């Protein structure tokens, strides 16, 4: 351990790493506060401070009289992959259900005219869904699709259908995505829908999805409150050796 | 009745964004007051306030009590598929990059570091903790760990200012870090981190853990960066067929064959 950080942060780091490394798995209990205090030779108060931080990050759950539980299975979302949210979560063994909060066709107006390079009067299909993972709300997703690109996009029930399957039905396929990942704070009514406190940190993933003809056919914002998710990114240097 | 009651604030948000664009509002310029905006956009103030809170929560705008609401500067967008060296990447995009060394010393590898670097616990490593600035904006506090045996005498270099760690490793030690993997989660700034970055304690931040690999696939660097979420975001270009194999389910990719 390095010496410059306060002890509680060092302990939080150590515990966080054990969780990320899979040493402590989802559903495991952490040792009691008293045991950790003895093991590391630190005070109860320090242990409690470290646990409070991890609880705020959503990595652990502390239940009165029952102990401290790990609340973070390793679900790693690879930012280099193009896949619908549903299939991604399902591949990780999470059962996904949806609630459509709104769906309908509207004029592009300024916002979507600019994004899709279409005219302000062009119709855009908009769909807002609350995503549940294993029955608990985990994300709010806003989709926008120009109707000219996917003519029958507005005709499906997106509680059951995925946008990807509807694209396939229109002989369209998403082959590339530009994704922007941010950490943002959410407020009501979004916070309430996601069952998190107002001002909570969530990942906001904004995607611009293109088809084979390099045509932008979907603009999506996902507010992801699921603390189980780690985003994974990788870089490779393909340049020549710098001088 | 629909559970979703926010469409009004969504459309107000669109109107505010349109206003900002079409009126050529520049970063740190004030937006019209809440009363003026409500009149201009013909909306009620409760919904307007909600839209403003949402935009502020996403750092598009910021509010200074008693002074009004201002346009935020755009976030620095890290192009993650090519971003390996912080200094070199941002410099190549035309930014001024500078670091302040907060600590640089030899340490014993802790559990996490020894696992990433595939060395025994307690092996000597250099710990380099730096404040990172882009265009004089402090964006991150980053701690790097490097195996001391790979780069003896590294501590004689001064990584404050504009010297790149990766360029030094490449030029002085023949170690080229050509691949990097990072994991991103959220955290909040501690008082110390906030003070160092001139930001608010408790501010939202990325918790970024990265591993850097050399030409031969051997792990060279383990780093942990706490990066301000109000000034920084990650961009990724994803394609149907990723060129690099996906990560292993466990957090410790074994790079040695």
């Amino acid at each position: 351990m390095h010496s410059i950080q306060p002890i509680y942060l060092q302990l939080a780091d150590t515990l966080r790493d054990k969780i990320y490394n899979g040493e402590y798995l989802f559903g495991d209990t952490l040792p009691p506060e008293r045991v950790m205090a003895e093991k590391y030779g630190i005070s109860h108060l320090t242990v409690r401070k470290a646990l409070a931080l991890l609880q705020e990050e959503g990595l652990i759950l502390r239940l009165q009289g029952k102990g401290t539980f790990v609340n973070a299975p390793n679900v790693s979302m690879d930012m280099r992959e193009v896949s619908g949210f549903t299939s991604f979560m399902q591949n990780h063994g999470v059962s996904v259900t949806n609630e459509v909060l709104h769906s309908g066709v509207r004029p592009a107006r300024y916002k979507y005219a600019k994004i899709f390079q279409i005219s302000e009067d062009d119709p855009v299909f908009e769909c807002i869904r609350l995503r549940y993972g294993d029955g608990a709300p985990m994300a709010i997703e806003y989709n926008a699709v120009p109707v000219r690109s996917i003519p029958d996009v507005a005709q499906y029930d997106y509680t059951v259908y995925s946008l990807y399957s509807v694209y396939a039905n229109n002989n369209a396929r998403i082959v590339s995505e530009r994704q922007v990942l941010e950490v943002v704070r959410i407020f009501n009514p979004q916070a309430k829908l996601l069952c998190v406190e107002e001002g909570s940190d969530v990942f906001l993933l904004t995607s611009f999805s293109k088809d084979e003809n390099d045509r932008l056919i979907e603009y999506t914002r996902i507010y992801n409150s699921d603390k189980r998710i780690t985003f994974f990114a990788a870089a490779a240097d393909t340049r020549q050796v710098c001088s | 009745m629909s559970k979703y009651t926010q469409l009004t604030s969504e459309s107000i948000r669109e109107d505010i964004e349109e206003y900002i664009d079409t009126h050529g509002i520049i970063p740190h310029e004030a937006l019209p007051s809440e009363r003026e905006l409500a009149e201009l956009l013909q909306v009620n103030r409760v919904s307007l306030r909600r839209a403003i809170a949402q935009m502020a929560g996403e750092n598009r705008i910021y509010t200074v009590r008693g002074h009004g609401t201002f346009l935020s500067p755009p976030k620095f967008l890290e192009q993650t598929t090519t971003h390996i060296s912080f200094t070199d990447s941002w410099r190549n995009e035309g930014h001024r990059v500078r670091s302040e060394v907060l600590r640089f010393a030899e340490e014993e590898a802790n559990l996490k570091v020894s696992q990433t670097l595939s060395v025994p616990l307690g092996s000597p490593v250099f710990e380099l903790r730096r404040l990172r600035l882009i265009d004089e904006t402090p964006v991150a506090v980053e701690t790097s760990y490097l195996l001391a045996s790979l780069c003896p005498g590294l501590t004689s270099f001064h990584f404050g200012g504009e010297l790149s760690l990766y360029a030094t490793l490449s030029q002085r030690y023949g170690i080229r870090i050509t691949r990097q993997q990072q994991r991103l989660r959220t955290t909040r700034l501690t008082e110390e981190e906030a003070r160092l970055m001139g930001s608010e304690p408790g501010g939202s931040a990325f918790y970024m853990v990265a591993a850097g690999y050399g030409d031969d696939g051997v792990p060279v660097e383990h780093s942990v960066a706490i990066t301000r979420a109000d000034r920084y975001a990650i961009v990724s270009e994803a394609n149907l067929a990723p060129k690099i194999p996906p990560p292993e389910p466990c957090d410790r990719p074994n790079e040695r064959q």
Side-chain angles (χ1 to χ4, degrees):
Chain A
M1 288 228 189
H2 42 277
S3 45
I4 42 160
Q5 284 193 318
I7 305 286
Y8 83 94
L9 280 182
Q10 292 187 42
L11 179 61
D13 275 352
T14 306
L15 294 173
R16 196 189 286 115
D17 290 331
K18 283 175 188 279
I19 293 170
Y20 291 169
N21 288 340
E23 200 172 318
Y24 289 144
L25 296 172
F26 177 67
D28 281 356
T29 41
L30 294 185
E33 284 179 20
R34 179 180 44 79
V35 174
M36 279 199 264
E38 275 168 24
K39 183 179 170 190
Y40 295 105
I42 54 182
S43 79
H44 282 231
L45 204 69
T46 308
V47 174
R48 215 163 292 158
K49 220 169 153 188
L51 293 179
L53 182 64
L54 294 180
Q55 186 174 29
E56 201 173 295
E57 292 172 16
L59 289 179
I60 58 168
L61 285 175
R62 294 159 86 195
L63 301 179
Q64 192 86 48
K66 289 191 173 165
T68 305
F69 296 87
V70 176
N71 190 32
N74 243 328
V75 178
S76 176
M77 193 154 185
D78 194 328
M79 289 187 73
R80 297 162 306 167
E81 278 177 11
V82 175
S83 72
F85 185 72
T86 316
S87 61
F88 168 77
M89 291 309 281
Q90 277 162 354
N91 288 344
H92 283 76
V94 177
S95 132
V96 178
T97 47
N98 303 300
E99 182 181 350
V100 174
L101 301 173
H102 168 79
S103 90
V105 175
R106 51 162 276 182
R109 294 177 52 209
Y110 179 81
K111 176 177 179 167
Y112 292 124
K114 188 177 156 202
I115 290 173
F116 293 110
Q117 298 289 304
I118 54 182
S119 104
E120 292 204 14
D121 301 325
D122 278 351
V124 169
F125 173 69
E126 209 173 33
C127 180
I128 306 173
R129 282 177 289 183
L130 184 57
R131 307 285 214 162
Y132 295 83
D134 296 328
M138 63 176 172
I140 299 179
E141 181 170 335
Y142 297 69
N143 308 112
V145 179
V147 174
R148 296 244 164 99
S149 306
I150 309 290
D152 66 354
V153 68
Q155 291 163 25
Y156 297 88
D157 175 357
Y158 290 98
T159 355
V160 246
Y161 287 95
S162 77
L163 278 168
Y164 275 51
S165 66
V166 171
Y167 299 157
N169 196 47
N170 285 268
N171 294 315
R173 201 165 72 114
I174 304 288
V175 297
S176 72
E177 266 176 359
R178 175 182 158 85
Q179 301 178 318
V180 182
L181 182 68
E182 297 170 86
V183 178
V184 302
R185 293 192 177 187
I186 54 164
F187 299 93
N188 286 340
Q190 290 176 308
K192 206 168 169 187
L193 288 169
L194 286 170
C195 297
V196 296
E197 285 186 25
E198 278 208 275
S200 292
D201 292 318
V202 297
F203 277 121
L204 166 59
L205 188 67
T206 306
S207 313
F208 302 81
S209 309
K210 289 181 170 178
D211 67 4
E212 283 121 321
N213 304 318
D214 212 32
R215 213 169 35 141
L216 186 64
I217 63 171
E218 182 190 318
Y219 168 79
T220 290
R221 285 184 294 153
I222 304 179
Y223 295 82
N224 202 316
S225 64
D226 193 332
K227 293 292 186 183
R228 295 174 294 188
I229 287 191
T230 298
F231 281 87
F232 175 87
D237 184 0
T238 48
R239 295 170 306 150
Q240 296 301 304
V241 184
C242 49
S243 55
Chain B
M1 205 182 87
S2 165
K3 196 169 171 182
Y4 192 75
T5 52
Q6 209 192 357
L7 277 177
T8 42
S9 64
E10 269 294 305
S11 87
I12 295 171
R13 185 177 167 166
E14 284 187 43
D15 291 341
I16 299 174
E17 284 167 348
E18 178 176 353
Y19 181 92
I20 289 170
D21 268 17
T22 53
H23 288 75
I25 307 279
I26 57 167
H28 305 298
E29 188 179 336
L31 299 186
S33 72
E34 197 182 287
R35 191 173 41 80
E36 289 167 328
L37 267 180
E39 270 171 33
L40 265 167
L41 306 176
Q42 292 292 301
V43 293
N44 80 59
R45 287 176 72 166
V46 177
S47 308
L48 176 64
R49 221 166 283 151
R50 199 174 255 178
I52 287 175
Q54 200 191 82
M55 289 176 71
E58 294 178 24
N59 311 112
R60 313 295 174 227
I61 54 177
Y62 64 95
T63 310
V64 180
R65 204 177 285 270
H67 288 271
T69 305
F70 303 84
L71 182 64
S72 301
K75 294 181 183 181
F76 294 109
L77 297 176
E78 173 182 313
Q79 303 289 334
T80 187
T81 33
T82 52
H83 185 100
I84 295 181
S85 159
F86 185 92
T87 309
D88 299 340
S89 302
W90 286 110
R91 193 170 290 156
N92 287 342
E93 290 192 27
H95 294 277
R96 250 199 86 209
V97 187
R98 178 168 83 76
S99 297
E100 286 173 20
V101 175
L102 304 169
R103 178 183 164 80
F104 194 10
E106 192 173 313
E107 285 289 338
E108 292 181 349
N110 64 23
L111 182 68
K112 162 181 72 182
V113 173
S114 64
Q115 279 170 349
T116 319
L117 299 180
S118 299
V119 294
L121 192 64
S123 300
V125 291
F126 291 126
E127 179 187 310
L128 172 59
R129 189 164 186 252
R130 284 176 292 179
L131 176 69
R132 306 292 222 152
L133 301 95
I134 306 173
D135 299 334
E136 289 306 305
T137 304
V139 291
V141 175
E142 184 183 14
T143 312
S144 299
Y145 299 88
L146 299 124
L147 261 191
S149 58
L150 283 180
C151 39
L154 189 70
T155 42
S156 64
F157 292 94
H158 182 59
F159 292 107
E162 302 185 357
L163 185 61
S164 157
L165 171 65
Y166 281 24
T168 305
L169 287 173
S170 166
Q171 287 156 18
R172 300 303 181 100
Y173 296 93
I175 301 167
R176 268 188 79 215
I177 296 179
T178 51
R179 210 152 59 73
Q180 198 189 53
Q181 300 192 333
Q182 66 175 348
R183 279 169 199 283
L184 307 153
R185 297 188 65 97
T186 66
T187 190
R188 294 261 167 124
L189 297 180
T190 63
E191 273 173 36
E192 191 218 10
E193 288 155 1
R195 182 174 48 76
L196 288 168
M197 294 195 266
S199 189
E200 293 292 311
S204 306
F206 283 101
Y207 182 84
M208 311 162 115
V209 180
Y213 301 92
D215 275 334
D216 46 8
V218 172
V220 175
E221 185 204 18
H222 171 90
S223 70
V224 179
I226 308 295
T227 306
R228 282 170 63 176
D230 60 336
R231 300 296 290 115
Y232 207 86
I234 310 289
V235 182
S236 176
E237 308 288 341
N239 291 298
L240 252 192
K243 291 180 184 80
I244 311 165
E248 288 166 34
C250 152
D251 211 351
R252 277 163 278 153
N254 180 9
E255 299 301 323
R256 294 182 197 276
Q257 294 303 314

